[in-house]
Amino acid sequence: MNFTDFGFDPTLMEGIEAMGFESPTPIQEQAMPAILEGRDIIGSAQTGTGKTAAFLLPVIQHIISSRESNRTRALVIVPTRELAMQIDQQMEGFSYFTSVSSIAVYGGGDGQLFSREKKALTEGTEVVICTPGRMIAHLNSSYVNFESLEFLVLDEADRMLDMGFYDDIMKIIQHIPKKRQNLMFAATMPEKIRTLAKKVLNNPVEVSIAISKPAEKVLQVAYVVYETQKLPLVTHLLKDRGLERVIVFCATKLSAKQLGRQLKREGLLVQDIHSDLEQKEREEIMLQFRNRKLHILVATDLLSRGIDIDNIELIINYDVPQEGEDYIHRIGRTARAESEGVAITLISEYEQSKFTRIEQLLGSKVTKATLPEQFGEAPEYDPAKYKGMGYRGRSGGRSGGRSSDRKSGGNFRGKSSGGKYRGKSSGRQGQS
Ligand code: AMP
């Protein structure tokens, strides 16, 4: 599925592109068509799944297509000011070319901030993102006009209830029209959320993104690298290690083919496997891999689900997968049953924000290993700096040179044949 499939206005599409979003996440695919149809939604999804865009994009689209000047059309209630600011930032990005207005209204700050919020509310800012207490402070005066409000979004509703905001939410709801579209999101669905949903929502569509957790026995490590350092590093990680069961995952068929070719040149027993091959060819490759005639498969996500080969020693994510679920499926190929396994992800500067999203989904940080000296300097791990900068130069082949002249000696040492691929994780800034 593509963002163009939702019939968004060209000015909104421009914003989506400028934000660096290429394809919708599963929650966006599930929730957006229903929201665009005018249905209420109850979505169970954590931060990191893309739920913010899942509700903001249809809301912006609706506002563009039924413009009324100086009217607040959508109210987003969230538990914390940080979340309000984050959502408003995304809002500004998406609506940059649309002129749909928004403001974050949150507690704290000085009198000046309150006056600014008051002005924005009086002028009928179209999308208001607020924390409950602060909104009530404004509602106590008569300048807030929610008569034209059509959308109520309750984000992180479970957290709001845990923080004791139930009464405040109900009070705010009394000030908005009964006829409206309600969108509610929560990471968990305890009974009290179901009760709130029954009170607030009208025949909602349920959208659920089940998050599987990776097996605990997988040692997960990541290298922060420049795109051009990936090939020499992966060669270094694989060569002369005595590894017999390795899968290297690539984002595209092209990159799997190129990498397969390069690793063959290094004398490794390797084969690329992807959907360009006939089913029979793929089966033959899998048989050879099972029989240890092939030691390394370079694969697309075709292989990330469902293959059942035990004792995969090492998984390498040559590219950061698009989705957290793909990451979990990929690394789930190792550490099956009783065995332990290692999963190494190479993160280029352009993939840092994607990887952060996966870490949010996992609920923990993956240790960043130090790049061995011979590969030169690595980029900083600073996802904010590189956000929205997609890598476009892939198909022209990679530079980075041949790596046969490079000596091994990084901080991941594999014992030969059958040994566990263990390493020190001299993590940058001690993330683990
Ligand atoms: P959220 O779960 O809404 O907090 O989103 C987590 C992060 O993922 C944010 O930094 C978003 O900008 C980013 N994000 C959400 N949807 C997409 C997408 N379809 N493509 C790329 N990045 C996305």
Side-chain angles (χ1 to χ4, degrees), residues 3 21 23-25 28 47-52 90 357 360 387:
F3 280 110
F21 288 20
S23 51
T25 65
Q28 290 160 6
T47 297
T49 53
K51 67 181 162 59
T52 312
Q90 287 207 40
R357 198 146 61 90
Q360 282 172 357
K387 198 167 178 339

Side-chain angles (χ1 to χ4, degrees), residues 216-264:
E216 278 173 13
K217 285 171 295 185
V218 185
L219 174 71
Q220 299 174 64
V221 181
Y223 283 99
V224 180
V225 291
Y226 288 111
E227 187 65 35
T228 50
Q229 290 168 321
K230 282 188 173 182
L231 181 60
L233 177 62
V234 84
T235 311
H236 164 79
L237 292 169
L238 293 173
K239 224 178 155 189
D240 304 325
R241 307 273 184 180
L243 292 162
E244 294 188 351
R245 289 213 155 156
V246 180
I247 304 178
V248 185
F249 283 107
C250 293
T252 63
K253 287 183 255 188
L254 182 67
S255 114
K257 285 179 201 172
Q258 285 177 338
L259 181 60
R261 211 175 303 133
Q262 293 282 359
L263 293 177
K264 260 182 213 163

Side-chain angles (χ1 to χ4, degrees), residues 404-420:
S404 54
D405 55 343
R406 298 181 191 277
K407 297 275 178 291
S408 65
N411 49 1
F412 269 82
R413 284 177 213 293
K415 277 194 267 149
S416 53
S417 100
K420 290 282 172 287

